[in-house]
Amino acid sequence: SPDTKQALANSIKKSSFNDVMFSINQLLEENQFGKGTVYLETAYDALKSRQNTESDALFQIEHQLALSYAIIGEYKNSVVFWKKVVDYSLENKEQFSSEDKIGFILNAAISSREAHETENFLTFSKQGLDSVVKNNLLDYEPSFLFEYAVFYSTQNEKTKALEYFEQVLPLAQEVGNREGEATTLNNIGLVWSSFGEKRKALDCYEQ
């Protein structure tokens, strides 16, 4: 309720940043993501209004909000905060490893796809794959290719989806990712099945 949020905001304003983060982490560790998100939103607004709040402190809450919104299925809100996270990580490159930055971009792409935000999905995915090549972090390549495949599958562009799934498969096999291989084969089978190619679909399922 508005009264509860106001009381929470007043409490946060009187607390140190470390105390605020302790309370947030407690809620998230208890898997209370709905309640945690409300606390995060209130903390974010309260801390933004403080003139002495460090930008990295706001970043920590933005990151938690991006994750929490995705977990509770509010992907449009998640994308809003993933954008802030990605921007901050690129503006403050020295604070993050290349793996961290690519991980942020991948999560932004996933939330964009789930939110049906095509332009954001394509932007983040291209940004991610470009970064994978630039930083020679090829372990991340299958994840981005898989996201493209799922995206085109949901757009009913099955031929394009199949092309991407078939790029993912050898990469998953190469690194011995059995779970990724099985998931990809299952998806390839579903695409072949949608084409009426039952034999090819069955071959995939049997692998």
Side-chain angles (χ1 to χ4, degrees), residues 45-202:
D45 291 340
L47 291 171
K48 267 201 309 184
S49 67
R50 287 185 188 174
Q51 290 186 343
N52 63 342
T53 301
E54 297 288 338
S55 58
D56 66 322
L58 285 178
F59 166 80
Q60 288 182 54
I61 294 184
E62 288 165 352
H63 187 211
Q64 291 289 2
L65 275 166
L67 289 167
S68 296
Y69 275 129
I71 287 167
I72 64 175
E74 293 189 21
Y75 293 107
K76 286 190 178 295
N77 286 329
S78 180
V79 173
V80 169
F81 285 97
W82 278 124
K83 280 184 175 180
K84 293 177 186 293
V85 167
V86 170
D87 287 347
Y88 182 87
S89 71
L90 296 177
E91 288 164 9
N92 299 272
K93 294 180 180 179
E94 70 288 345
Q95 292 184 32
F96 304 93
S97 68
S98 297
E99 289 90 340
D100 285 337
K101 285 176 277 193
I102 288 175
F104 297 151
I105 295 168
L106 178 59
N107 277 302
I110 293 168
S111 284
S112 297
R113 176 177 58 73
E114 292 283 4
H116 308 291
E117 295 186 5
T118 298
E119 189 176 337
N120 281 327
F121 170 78
L122 294 174
T123 298
F124 283 126
S125 296
K126 182 180 185 307
Q127 186 180 7
L129 275 178
D130 288 348
S131 188
V132 162
V133 173
K134 181 181 174 183
N135 294 287
N136 197 32
L137 292 168
L138 300 181
D139 286 353
Y140 287 84
E141 185 180 13
S143 297
F144 283 101
L145 294 175
F146 186 84
E147 286 304 314
Y148 270 118
V150 173
F151 168 75
Y152 284 116
S153 187
T154 59
Q155 298 293 307
N156 212 30
E157 294 187 45
K158 302 295 185 182
T159 302
K160 224 166 184 179
L162 185 60
E163 288 172 9
Y164 279 103
F165 281 131
E166 289 185 332
Q167 287 181 63
V168 174
L169 186 59
L171 296 173
Q173 290 169 332
E174 189 179 318
V175 297
N177 181 354
R178 295 293 294 168
E179 185 180 348
E181 181 184 356
T183 302
T184 305
L185 280 166
N186 185 60
N187 279 288
I188 291 173
L190 290 171
V191 175
W192 281 124
S193 184
S194 74
F195 289 154
E197 296 278 1
K198 304 300 181 186
R199 182 66 256 173
K200 287 184 178 179
L202 190 60

Side-chain angles (χ1 to χ4, degrees), residues 1-8 38 42:
S1 71
D3 288 344
T4 304
K5 286 195 81 170
Q6 187 56 52
L8 185 57
V38 172
T42 310

